[in-house]
Amino acid sequence: MDAAERDLLAETLRKTMTAATGQALDASLTDLGWAELLAEQPDIAVPLTFRLLGETGAHAPLLNDVLLNAAGRPVGGTLPLPYTGGTWVVWERDDSAAGTTLDAELPLHTVPAGPPVPLAAGRVALGWWLVGTGRAMLALARQHAVDRVQFGRPLASFQAVRHRLAETFVALDGAEVTLVAATDELGALLAKAAAGQAALTAARHCQQVLGGVGFTAEHDLHRHVRRAMVLDGLLGSARELTREAGALLRAGGSAPRLVHL
Amino acid sequence: MSVTSPPGNMDVGGFRWGLRAWLDEHDLSPGPDHSLDAQVAQLARVRRALFDADWMRYGWPAEVRGLGGPAVLRAVLGEEVATRELAEPGIYSMIEVLAPTMISYAPPALAAEMVPRLLSGREQWCQGFSEPGSGSDLASLTTRAVPRDGHWVINGQKVWTSLAQFAARCVLLTRTAPGHNGITAFFVDMDTPGITVRPLRTMHGVDEFAEVFFDDVVVPADRMLGQPGDGWRLAMDLLPHERSTCFWHRIAHLYTRLDRLVAETSIPDDAELGAAYLALHTVRCRSHATQRRLAEGERLGAETSVDKVLLATAEQRLFETVRDLLPGVLELTDTPWRSEYLYAKAATIYGGTAEIQRNIIARRLLDLGRE
Ligand SMILES: Cc1cc2nc3c(=O)[nH]c(=O)nc-3n(C[C@H](O)[C@H](O)[C@H](O)COP(=O)(O)OP(=O)(O)OC[C@H]3O[C@@H](n4cnc5c(N)ncnc54)[C@H](O)[C@@H]3O)c2cc1C
C-alpha cells in the first residue's frame, strides 16, 4: 500500500467512524473489508484503525479481532481479556451490554478468568487507540485555548496554559514512537505503558485548560477522559506495566536496548 | 584490508561489527584518574586513536579529511564509545556541534585546515554563545565586534563556556549590528592576545566551564563564519546537530548508568525502576526516529525540542531513581554517582532550558501564536 492509498483508506475510515459507532461501526467496517485488511496487513490496519477510533471518539469491538487474528483464530467473536487488578472482561460485539463501565458507551463486562491471550498485539492496538484519544483531547483543548478570551487575551497567550499543552504534545509524540518501535513482547509492554501514561497526561492537562466547559456533559472531553481511563486498564495499566518492566530489569540484570541504528 | 578495518560499503551493521572488533583488540579504557584534566586528556587519546584507525573519519566529508558515508556512522561510533565508557559523553559529543558548524559556515580552506585537528583529538574547541546578560535570550548578546583595518576587534564577555580552559579555538557569537540580523560568528584562536579565561567552579565538582573575557581581541576577517549577520542562523542550525547525534550518544551513556543501578541496588522498587527505564526507552525510540529522518535527508527543526524535553526528563528521572534506590550512597560516600546525579540537574538548563523548549513547542508545533 503506498502513501496515497493509505491516505485514502484513512479518509474512508474516518468518515465511517464519524457516521457510526459501536455495533453499527463494527458492521460498516466488516463491509469495508476489515477482516481481510487485518489478516493481510496488520502493520497498516492496526495503527491506522485504532488511532482513528481514538481521534474520532468512536468505538468498535475490534480488539477481539486483533487478538483472535494474532492467535490464528477466525475473527468476529469475543474472548476474555485480562483487565487491571486481576479482573477479566469481555468486550461484547453488540451494544446491549453497554452501561456498566466508567465509559458507559463501551460494551464491557466482567467475566471469570480466561485462557492466556496474545498480549503484545493487543497492547499495541490499545496503545494506538490511547494515543488517538489523547490527540482528540489535545485538539479540543488547543482550540479552546485559541478561541477563548480572558483578561482581554486568548488563553493560548498564557504561558501556564501553553506549557500544559506542550507537555501533552511531548507525551503523545513520545508514546507514538514507542508504538512504532514495538516489535516484540517487551516493546509492546513499554508502548502500552507509554501510551496509557500519555493519554492520562493529556486528560489531566486538557481538562484543566478547558476549565468549566470541559466539566459539562455536553462537552466531548469527558467522553475521551473516560475512554482513556477504561482503555488504560485493559491488558495491563500503565502503572502495572511499568512495574512489570522494572521487575524484568531486575530479573535480567540489565536494561534491554530495543531499537538499534 | 584486515578484518578489523572499516568496511568499504559503510553499512551500519558492518561498521559496527568492524568497530567492535577493533575496540576489542585496542584497549582505550580510561585510567583511574577522574579529574577533568584526565578526562580531557583521555578524550584526546580516544579521538586520536579512532582517527588514526579511520573510525573517526567515517560520516564526515572528504573536504575535512573524512571518508564520507552517512552521518549515522558517527552516532554508532559515539554509542560504542559511550557504552564502553571510553570517554565522558558530554565532552565527546561537542564535536557533533562544532564540526558541522565549521563545515557549513567556515571558508572551505579554514574548515579543511581546522576540522581534522578537532576530529583527531589534537585540539579541543569551545562554543562561546552565552553571556552574563544573555542566556535563554541569546539574541540579546552584547559582545561587540568592530571592523578596523581589515580585521575585527572584539570586546565583551562570555560565560559558562564549556572546556574554554582547554580550548585552542572558539566558535564565538558577537554583535556587529542591532537585532537578530546583527549577530556575527567568528572562529577565534584562544591564544590571541586580549583573551582571558577564568575557570568557574561547578556544582558537581567537575569544573567544565569558564568565563571568557575579550579585551580588544583582534581577529582576521577571514575568520568570520558565514557573512556578517549570519550568526543567529548559525546558532539555530547547530541545534539539530546537537539534538540528533549528541543525544544518541547521551542516551547510550544513560543506559550504562541504568545497568549499573540495576546491578547495585538491593531495593525492589520495580515501579520506580520501570519508570526510569520507560522514560529512557521512549527517548531512545524518539532519537532513533530522528536519526532516521536525518538519514532520509530531512531538515530537522523545532520538533527536536520534543527530543530535548524527553531526554532531559529521562536523565533527571534516572538520577532521582539512583538516589532513591541507592539510599544514602551519594550523600555519604564519595562515589561517581554523586557528581553524575548533580550534573543531571543541568540537563534542563544547557542547550536551551526546559521552559524554552516548551515555549518553542507551543509556538511552533502547536501553533498557539504569541505569548
Ligand atoms: C553545564 C553547562 C554547560 C554549558 N555550556 C555552555 C557552553 O559551552 N557555551 C555556551 O555558550 N553556554 C553554555 N551554557 C549556558 C547555557 O546555554 C545557559 O545556561 C542557558 O541557555 C540558560 O541561560 P541562563 O543560565 O542565563 O538562564 P536564564 O535564561 O536566565 O533562565 C533562568 C530561568 O528562567 C527561565 N526563563 C528564561 N526565559 C524564559 C521564558 N521566555 N519563558 C519561560 N521561562 C524562562 C529559564 O527556563 C530558567 O528556568 C552551559 C550551561 C551549563 C549549565
Side-chain angles (χ1 to χ4, degrees), chain A residues 142 157 159 162-163 165 167 169-170 173-174 181 190 242-243 246-247 249-250 253-257 259-261, chain B residues 12 16 75 248 255 259 262 268 270 273-275 277-278 282 284 286 288 310 358-359 361 366-367 369-371:
Chain A
R142 185 201 164 274
S157 68
Q159 196 175 61
R162 298 164 79 87
H163 283 196
L165 297 181
E167 203 58 42
F169 186 88
V170 169
D173 264 21
L190 291 167
T242 304
R243 199 186 313 123
L249 250 58
R250 278 201 311 121
S254 67
R257 283 73 163 162
V259 297
H260 299 278
L261 293 176
Chain B
V12 169
R16 186 188 286 118
W248 187 259
Y255 267 87
D259 281 348
V262 170
D270 293 336
L273 200 57
Y277 179 47
L278 180 58
T282 302
R284 187 177 171 94
R286 173 74 184 192
H288 187 262
L310 289 172
R358 285 165 177 81
N359 291 350
I361 292 166
L366 282 165
D367 196 19
R370 288 186 173 280
E371 263 175 50

Side-chain angles (χ1 to χ4, degrees), chain A residues 159 163, chain B residues 94 127-131 134-137 159-162 208-209 343 346 349-356 359 371:
Chain A
Q159 196 175 61
H163 283 196
Chain B
M94 284 176 70
Q127 178 185 322
F129 287 15
S130 303
E131 299 181 1
S134 305
S136 299
D137 186 10
V159 73
W160 308 308
T161 314
S162 296
E208 73 165 46
F209 54 36
Y343 191 59
I349 298 170
Y350 58 64
T353 71
E355 287 72 28
I356 297 302
N359 291 350
E371 263 175 50

Side-chain angles (χ1 to χ4, degrees), chain B residues 187-361:
Chain B
F187 187 65
V188 178
D189 295 342
M190 289 296 282
D191 61 3
T192 314
I195 297 181
T196 310
V197 177
R198 200 175 292 160
L200 292 164
R201 305 300 308 273
T202 62
M203 170 170 163
H204 71 310
V206 181
D207 301 333
E208 73 165 46
F209 54 36
E211 295 177 292
V212 185
F213 298 87
F214 296 82
D215 193 7
D216 285 330
V217 174
V218 178
V219 178
D222 61 7
R223 288 302 192 86
M224 188 181 288
L225 300 177
Q227 301 300 311
D230 280 351
W232 183 253
R233 192 160 58 84
L234 176 149
M236 294 302 108
D237 283 356
L238 160 163
L239 289 175
H241 294 296
E242 177 168 299
R243 295 187 185 157
S244 50
T245 308
C246 289
F247 279 15
W248 187 259
H249 298 167
R250 183 131 207 104
I251 292 160
H253 164 70
L254 295 177
Y255 267 87
T256 69
R257 293 310 183 258
L258 181 56
D259 281 348
R260 184 173 295 176
L261 172 62
V262 170
E264 290 183 15
T265 184
S266 54
I267 296 191
D269 190 335
D270 293 336
E272 195 172 353
L273 200 57
Y277 179 47
L278 180 58
L280 214 45
H281 172 69
T282 302
V283 69
R284 187 177 171 94
C285 291
R286 173 74 184 192
S287 188
H288 187 262
T290 299
Q291 283 290 335
R292 212 165 29 209
R293 294 200 300 122
L294 203 61
E296 283 160 8
E298 265 184 61
R299 220 181 131 75
L300 304 180
E303 72 291 339
T304 59
S305 286
V306 174
D307 303 50
K308 174 74 180 160
V309 173
L310 289 172
L311 177 57
T313 308
E315 176 155 358
Q316 293 186 346
R317 179 180 285 273
L318 172 62
F319 283 100
E320 288 307 329
T321 305
V322 166
R323 179 168 181 270
D324 290 347
L325 300 195
L326 299 173
V329 167
L330 60 94
E331 289 85 352
L332 300 179
T333 56
D334 185 13
T335 141
W337 283 123
R338 181 183 288 174
S339 168
E340 292 185 6
Y341 172 86
L342 292 173
Y343 191 59
K345 301 289 177 197
T348 43
I349 298 170
Y350 58 64
T353 71
E355 287 72 28
I356 297 302
Q357 302 315 318
R358 285 165 177 81
N359 291 350
I360 293 168
I361 292 166

